[in-house]
Amino acid sequence: MSAEAERKTQNLPQWKKEEVDELADLIESYESVGIVGIAGIPSKQLQDMRRDLHGSAELRVSRNTLQVHALEDAGLGDLVEHVEGQVGLVGTNDNPFALYKELEASKTPAPINEGEVAPNDIVVPEGDTGVDPGPFVGELQSVGANARIQDGSIQVMEDSTVLEAGEEVSADLANVLNELGIEPKEVGLDLRAVVAEGTLFDPEDLDIDVEAYESDIATAAARARNLSVNASYPTEATAPTLVAKATGEAKSLGLQAAIEDEALMPDLVSKADAQLRALAAQIDDEEALPEELQGVEAPAESAPADDADEDDESADDQEAEADEADTDDDDDEDGGGGGEGLGAMFG
């Protein structure tokens, strides 16, 4: 506490000192402290709001001058400029974003009175007002609504903006809105500013779509991981993927180059057997084949011989067919069946 602030506090009457001390206790008890506007909230509704906050936040209403004393004593001078009009102090251990979201969710629609400033554009919606024909149609027209008598009642023919945000509500408009049951404003604790860990947050800073923000973070993380993998940049998160990718590429290279490695032999034998079966299935004269290959059908996913010109079939296409056959021919995991076929031909 500065010497000047201490001097100001000492000059206060005893009851005001006690009030400042209680406000100081609230400030010191919570990680986040903010200023909330309470103008226009009826006393009973304010008590209900205070009760609803119990367990997550604490609200205390006091004289503005005493709130200023407590804030200055606590070194929270950045909040002082927001102590204007009917306000209170709120403290919470939640982060400012959670506090803002909770306060916004607690707001409820309410009628607007004569002399109040419209918080947003006030619109009388298109449709049947439910009011019988009479002078009310003239009242609607006088405030700017496109209304007429139709089908035995007063109808609003189109959405009609009767007051723009920032303009003052007239007595006539307040009466019309009340008659129609339109509640154009929200009543609740209006967070003006909050300080957490020495940082001041305004409502504009806190008004974010949490789900969209989380989605953006997840997308950025996925793209960063993809970039790391494609650039072969090892990190704790990408090392397992890089090792798996390198292993797969090494195995693919070994199969394409027919490298006789112990780990590749089952796949090489299966691949060779599939290629052999695919070739045997394309020979029309079965008598020209060894007995073991007579009646052999093409692998399930191989293209029929008459669907393509044999002379134009590339080596890559043949290998692709063999790979597909390897997937389908899973009767023997180690390729033993293929081994028997090769043994009969070349044994």
Side-chain angles (χ1 to χ4, degrees), residues 265-326:
M265 288 309 297
D267 293 313
L268 286 171
V269 171
S270 294
K271 178 180 178 182
D273 182 65
Q275 290 174 329
L276 178 62
R277 289 172 180 272
L279 180 61
Q282 297 180 40
I283 297 176
D284 295 332
D285 186 2
E286 290 192 353
E287 296 299 327
L289 294 171
E291 183 179 350
E292 290 80 3
L293 290 178
Q294 292 180 9
V296 170
E297 296 181 358
E301 297 198 18
S302 294
D306 57 359
D307 286 349
D309 188 343
E310 295 179 15
D311 294 335
D312 293 336
E313 186 173 28
S314 68
D316 287 342
D317 291 337
Q318 293 177 5
E319 290 174 358
E321 289 177 354
D323 289 341
E324 291 173 353
D326 178 39

Side-chain angles (χ1 to χ4, degrees), residues 185-208:
K185 71 175 184 179
E186 288 185 324
V187 173
L189 300 174
D190 185 23
L191 186 63
R192 296 189 176 181
V194 58
V195 170
E197 298 182 357
T199 301
L200 177 70
F201 296 90
D202 292 322
E204 294 77 12
D205 303 323
L206 305 174
D207 186 15
I208 63 173

Side-chain angles (χ1 to χ4, degrees), residues 101-123:
K101 185 176 181 180
E102 181 179 9
L103 294 181
E104 288 298 303
S106 68
K107 292 182 177 181
T108 57
I112 196 166
N113 300 315
E114 175 190 356
E116 291 189 62
V117 174
N120 41 54
D121 290 352
I122 298 178
V123 177

Side-chain angles (χ1 to χ4, degrees), residues 209-219:
D209 186 332
V210 176
E211 292 183 358
Y213 187 80
E214 290 176 345
S215 177
D216 289 344
I217 293 296
T219 299

Side-chain angles (χ1 to χ4, degrees), residues 117-136:
V117 174
N120 41 54
D121 290 352
I122 298 178
V123 177
V124 175
E126 175 185 356
D128 189 348
T129 65
V131 180
D132 294 334
F136 187 63

